[in-house]
């Protein structure tokens, strides 16, 4: 029997959709949109989304990637690490800088900011992978 494998773009797209759902559930459970009576259901869906995200990540670990896909993933991961570094630096400046003390940052706001950052990264990853996959392998970052 042949095992079905998800392509990398499909896996990254599914992860982006799951993160978007988790973000929507988080916002619905924290804000006053009238969903307070459904909070137990929302929390169960939230945890199911986290489990689905982990399962998709484990499925990818069992898959062998070719050399060009690894090179493209290296480029995409480098871009995503730069975006993460910039986002976390902005968060650190907002939290630690004395001139931003009038901005009220609660624990929920910081969590929402990190979820939005994760959504941006997981949304950009399949788009960049598809772009570099169609563009073809170029060794721009390997040239001296």
């Amino acid at each position: 029997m042949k095992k079905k494998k998800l392509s990398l773009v499909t896996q990254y797209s599914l992860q982006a959709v799951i993160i978007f759902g988790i973000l929507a559930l988080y916002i619905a459970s924290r804000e006053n949109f009238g969903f307070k009576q459904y909070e137990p259901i929302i929390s169960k869906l939230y945890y199911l989304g986290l489990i689905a995200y982990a399962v998709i990540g484990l499925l990818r670990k069992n898959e062998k990637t070719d050399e060009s896909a690894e090179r493209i993933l290296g480029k995409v991961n480098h871009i995503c690490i730069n975006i993460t570094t910039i986002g976390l630096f902005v968060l650190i400046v907002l939290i630690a800088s004395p001139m931003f003390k009038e901005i009220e940052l609660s624990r929920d706001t910081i969590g929402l900011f990190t979820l939005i950052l994760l959504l941006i990264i997981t949304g950009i990853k399949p788009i960049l992978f598809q772009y570099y996959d169609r563009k073809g392998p170029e060794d721009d970052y390997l040239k001296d």
Side-chain angles (χ1 to χ4, degrees), residues 4-9 11 57-66 69-70:
K4 285 189 172 184
K5 291 187 179 180
L6 296 173
S7 69
L8 289 175
V9 175
Q11 289 176 5
L58 291 175
L59 286 176
R60 188 186 165 282
K61 299 296 181 192
N62 296 333
E63 183 178 309
K64 300 290 183 193
T65 57
D66 59 341
E70 286 180 4

Side-chain angles (χ1 to χ4, degrees), residues 50-114:
L50 290 176
I51 290 170
Y53 186 80
V55 167
I56 290 174
L58 291 175
L59 286 176
R60 188 186 165 282
K61 299 296 181 192
N62 296 333
E63 183 178 309
K64 300 290 183 193
T65 57
D66 59 341
E67 186 176 326
S68 67
E70 286 180 4
R71 187 171 293 141
I72 292 169
L73 278 174
K75 285 182 184 180
V76 170
N77 287 337
H78 182 71
I79 292 170
C80 288
I81 287 173
N82 287 340
I83 292 171
T84 305
T85 305
I86 291 168
L88 290 177
F89 181 74
V90 167
L91 182 64
I92 288 170
V93 166
L94 285 175
I95 291 172
S97 181
M99 66 181 180
F100 294 114
K101 287 297 180 189
E102 58 269 356
I103 299 174
E104 185 67 31
L105 290 176
S106 65
R107 186 177 60 199
D108 291 338
T109 308
I110 295 170
L112 184 64
F113 183 82
T114 54

Side-chain angles (χ1 to χ4, degrees), residues 21-74:
I22 289 172
L23 179 65
L25 287 172
Y26 182 79
I27 291 172
S29 68
R30 294 293 176 211
E31 298 299 323
N32 293 326
F33 294 127
F35 297 119
K36 289 294 182 183
Q37 67 262 20
Y38 301 114
E39 192 165 347
I41 297 169
I42 290 174
S43 66
K44 287 181 176 101
L45 290 173
Y46 182 77
Y47 292 127
L48 283 174
L50 290 176
I51 290 170
Y53 186 80
V55 167
I56 290 174
L58 291 175
L59 286 176
R60 188 186 165 282
K61 299 296 181 192
N62 296 333
E63 183 178 309
K64 300 290 183 193
T65 57
D66 59 341
E67 186 176 326
S68 67
E70 286 180 4
R71 187 171 293 141
I72 292 169
L73 278 174

